[in-house]
């Protein structure tokens, strides 16, 4: 059976990973969360007090960063491991979310992450979500989806998710973080968030999870 690459890009917290996981499961494909890689690098920089405005410091630090996705039979998806430590939970913290967009503007960081992402897609049969997957990582992908949703809906979704882990988080904090990340992600010099010319727009403000999966599966069926 023919295998394809599906890319899902879009704004922060509009459900990219939810759709990517659903799609990968339905198709028996591998799901890769590229944002987790930028988050793990940010965690490493924060923990080791790396001055990421210094080019040499970044190069040296990246030499010591090993990233792997390892499948977890309990959570049923691949989790991010940084230097053999499972950091899947830690990288979702607001402390990391506040710095990740800044770290993701650094050219060397992007080169480092993109090379690994391209390797993961070499055999196709992959769904990868992020910001530059359809434009930079896999410009020849067979199916590109660009997701968006109303900002208030996105804030509410992310707030619910974060509140479960940390009841001290406020809705303002979450809204400010999303707006800041959207701004930095779409205005950076290297690979800014853009909808690829051949991507299909999916606005899921009014859609249920089943409806968005159905929409995406129909697109896949056309490509196969
Ligand atoms: O998808 P996410 O919210 O976990 O991504 C975290 C940050 O990583 C996001 O604000 C920008 C950056 N990112 C990126 O620059 N390129 C990607 N392909 C994925 C994420």
């Amino acid at each position: 059976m023919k295998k394809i690459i599906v890319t899902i890009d879009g704004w922060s917290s509009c459900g990219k990973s939810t759709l990517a996981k659903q799609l990968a499961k339905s198709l028996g494909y591998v799901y890769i969360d590229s944002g987790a890689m930028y988050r793990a690098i940010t965690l490493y920089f924060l923990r080791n007090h790396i001055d990421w405005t210094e080019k040499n410091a970044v190069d040296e630090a990246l030499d010591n960063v090993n990233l792997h996705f390892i499948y977890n039979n309990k959570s049923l998806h691949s989790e991010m491991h940084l230097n053999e430590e499972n950091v899947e939970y830690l990288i979702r913290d607001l402390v990391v979310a506040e710095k990740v967009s800044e770290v993701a503007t650094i050219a060397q960081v992007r080169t480092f992450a993109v090379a690994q992402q391209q390797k993961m897609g070499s055999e196709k049969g992959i769904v990868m979500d992020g910001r530059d997957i359809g434009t930079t990582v896999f410009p020849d992908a067979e199916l590109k989806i660009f997701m968006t949703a109303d900002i208030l809906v996105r804030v509410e979704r992310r707030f619910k998710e974060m509140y479960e882990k940390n009841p001290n988080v406020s809705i303002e904090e979450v809204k400010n973080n999303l707006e800041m990340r959207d701004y930095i992600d779409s205005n950076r010099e290297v690979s800014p968030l853009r909808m690829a010319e051949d991507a299909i727009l999916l606005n899921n403000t009014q859609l249920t999870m089943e409806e968005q999966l159905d929409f995406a599966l129909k697109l896949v069926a056309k490509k196969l």
Side-chain angles (χ1 to χ4, degrees):
M1 174 111 171
K2 181 183 167 191
K3 283 191 170 180
I4 63 169
I5 293 182
V6 182
T7 68
I8 303 183
D9 290 303
W11 304 97
S12 289
S13 295
C14 58
K16 298 183 296 296
S17 67
T18 304
L19 176 62
K21 277 180 209 161
Q22 290 175 306
L23 208 47
K25 195 172 166 206
S26 305
L27 299 168
Y29 280 17
V30 173
Y31 161 58
I32 298 293
D33 170 4
S34 69
M37 299 172 73
Y38 293 97
R39 286 173 181 266
I41 295 168
T42 304
L43 179 66
Y44 182 89
F45 285 7
L46 288 169
R47 276 180 172 174
N48 294 283
H49 311 285
I50 306 298
D51 175 2
W52 58 73
T53 61
E54 286 291 326
K55 189 179 176 303
N56 289 344
V58 170
D59 282 335
E60 267 175 41
L62 289 175
D63 280 344
N64 294 310
V65 171
N66 276 302
L67 302 179
H68 295 286
F69 286 100
I70 298 179
Y71 190 76
N72 181 332
N73 287 324
K74 283 191 189 144
S75 69
L76 301 181
H77 66 91
S78 297
E79 296 182 342
M80 186 79 254
H81 289 240
L82 164 65
N83 296 338
E84 320 306 328
E85 174 190 355
N86 185 337
V87 292
E88 183 64 31
Y89 185 82
L90 282 175
I91 57 173
R92 310 290 159 194
D93 200 279
L94 202 53
V95 177
V96 173
E98 273 167 1
K99 295 291 173 206
V100 63
S101 284
E102 195 181 319
V103 168
T105 63
I106 304 168
Q108 301 123 278
V109 168
R110 302 207 70 81
T111 306
F112 176 86
V114 169
Q116 297 184 33
Q117 290 155 7
Q118 288 173 333
K119 233 188 227 170
M120 293 175 205
S122 62
E123 292 186 9
K124 303 209 175 189
I126 190 170
V127 183
M128 191 178 290
D129 73 343
R131 304 294 186 290
D132 62 339
I133 312 303
T135 51
T136 301
V137 181
F138 299 122
D140 299 325
E142 289 83 355
L143 175 61
K144 302 178 183 178
I145 297 174
F146 189 91
M147 287 180 72
T148 184
D150 188 278
I151 178 76
L152 293 179
V153 171
R154 294 196 278 130
V155 169
E156 208 169 292
R157 287 177 187 159
R158 181 48 61 99
F159 175 69
K160 271 192 196 151
E161 205 177 277
M162 297 201 86
Y163 186 82
E164 275 173 26
K165 289 184 194 161
N166 170 15
N168 293 324
V169 73
S170 74
I171 201 149
E172 282 72 33
E173 264 179 306
V174 173
K175 183 165 186 279
N176 290 342
N177 179 255
L178 285 196
E179 287 176 340
M180 177 198 72
R181 288 203 286 137
D182 283 349
Y183 180 82
I184 301 177
D185 295 345
S186 54
N187 286 284
R188 67 180 175 228
E189 243 169 71
V190 191
S191 303
L193 170 66
R194 290 268 181 281
M195 180 166 154
E197 273 178 20
D198 50 349
I200 289 153
L201 184 68
L202 168 56
N203 182 333
N204 72 359
T205 308
Q206 312 269 13
L207 298 185
T208 63
M209 292 210 290
E210 290 75 23
E211 286 168 335
Q212 75 173 9
L213 176 61
D214 191 49
F215 176 89
L217 282 174
K218 284 189 178 130
L219 296 176
V220 172
K222 272 194 213 160
K223 300 287 173 184
L224 286 177

